[in-house]
Amino acid sequence: MPDNDDISIFMDWLEKHKASVIQVARAYTFSSEEGQDLAQEILLQAWRSLPKFEGRSSPATWFYRVALHTAMNWRRGDERRRAHQRPLLEVQTVPSGLADSYQHVEQRETVEQLYKAIHQLPKSDVAVVLLYLDELSYREMAGVLGISESNVGVRLSRAKKALVNLMNVETAEGQNDES
């Protein structure tokens, strides 16, 4: 049975790092339902892993590592267990209150296009892009991914080039559809 300290630590870390859970879940799934399922799986794995946290990395790094490893290994099975879960975290794709703004619509379309391109990257590149988007340093990214800082640079450069190409293809296809 978890003690109150574990619960309060977990809830505090969840509050501080829920954006990274949502970002990882969204990047590794294609629908909001799958994103919701993956977010819950990430939280379950984080809870189960909490007793193993040794403090060698920051809570943010640890939470990211759990989220990324869970996402990379996630499978659609085990639906019966998921059907009985109550969400700790709601994954929303559109912030409320801003949906009418033209600028927001344009920004949302760009973000959707970016996530669509991110979905096409290899899983290891998705991880480095998410960490980059969350503005982690190369050292922090290396800690989360368990690779060297120079390897982070190489992967990030490769992923950026791939995203530029994918975004250009998406934009060109969108313009061809409108013609």
Side-chain angles (χ1 to χ4, degrees):
M1 177 94 177
D3 63 19
N4 286 338
D5 287 343
D6 286 345
I7 293 169
S8 64
I9 288 170
F10 185 79
M11 295 309 288
D12 179 54
W13 288 0
L14 174 59
E15 185 60 34
K16 290 177 181 171
H17 308 296
K18 67 183 171 187
S20 59
V21 171
I22 292 168
Q23 188 177 28
V24 169
R26 185 170 182 207
Y28 279 87
T29 58
F30 290 104
S31 72
S32 60
E33 276 184 8
E34 283 183 329
Q36 189 72 34
D37 287 348
L38 178 54
Q40 302 315 312
E41 186 65 25
I42 289 168
L43 296 177
L44 177 64
Q45 292 306 319
W47 174 251
R48 287 179 176 164
S49 300
L50 185 61
K52 298 175 192 164
F53 178 73
E54 298 174 351
R56 286 189 258 167
S57 61
S58 72
T61 300
W62 175 81
F63 225 99
Y64 247 122
R65 188 175 293 142
V66 170
L68 289 171
H69 285 280
T70 302
M72 286 193 262
N73 295 319
W74 186 63
R75 288 179 182 61
R76 246 341 243 159
D78 209 9
E79 288 183 19
R80 191 172 55 153
R81 177 184 53 79
R82 288 192 189 122
H84 300 333
Q85 288 180 337
R86 271 192 14 240
L88 283 174
L89 185 59
E90 291 294 326
V91 177
Q92 297 177 352
T93 55
V94 180
S96 59
L98 300 175
D100 296 332
S101 162
Y102 175 75
Q103 185 179 12
H104 176 70
V105 170
E106 223 174 51
Q107 182 181 13
R108 191 181 79 218
E109 287 173 358
T110 302
V111 169
E112 290 299 323
Q113 185 181 9
L114 175 63
Y115 273 101
K116 193 173 181 183
I118 289 172
H119 282 286
Q120 297 175 50
L121 296 174
K123 288 181 181 180
S124 60
D125 288 348
V126 170
V128 77
V129 167
L130 292 178
L131 295 171
Y132 175 77
L133 291 174
D134 219 21
E135 300 179 355
L136 271 69
S137 69
Y138 278 31
R139 173 171 283 149
E140 292 168 319
M141 287 189 239
V144 169
L145 298 171
I147 59 176
S148 69
E149 289 180 51
S150 61
N151 197 340
V152 167
V154 169
R155 285 186 183 187
L156 189 55
S157 176
R158 180 181 60 209
K160 283 180 180 179
K161 286 177 186 173
L163 282 174
V164 166
N165 290 335
L166 289 167
M167 296 284 286
N168 287 337
V169 167
E170 290 291 322
T171 302
E173 285 177 357
Q175 289 172 351
N176 290 339
D177 290 346
E178 293 171 6
S179 310

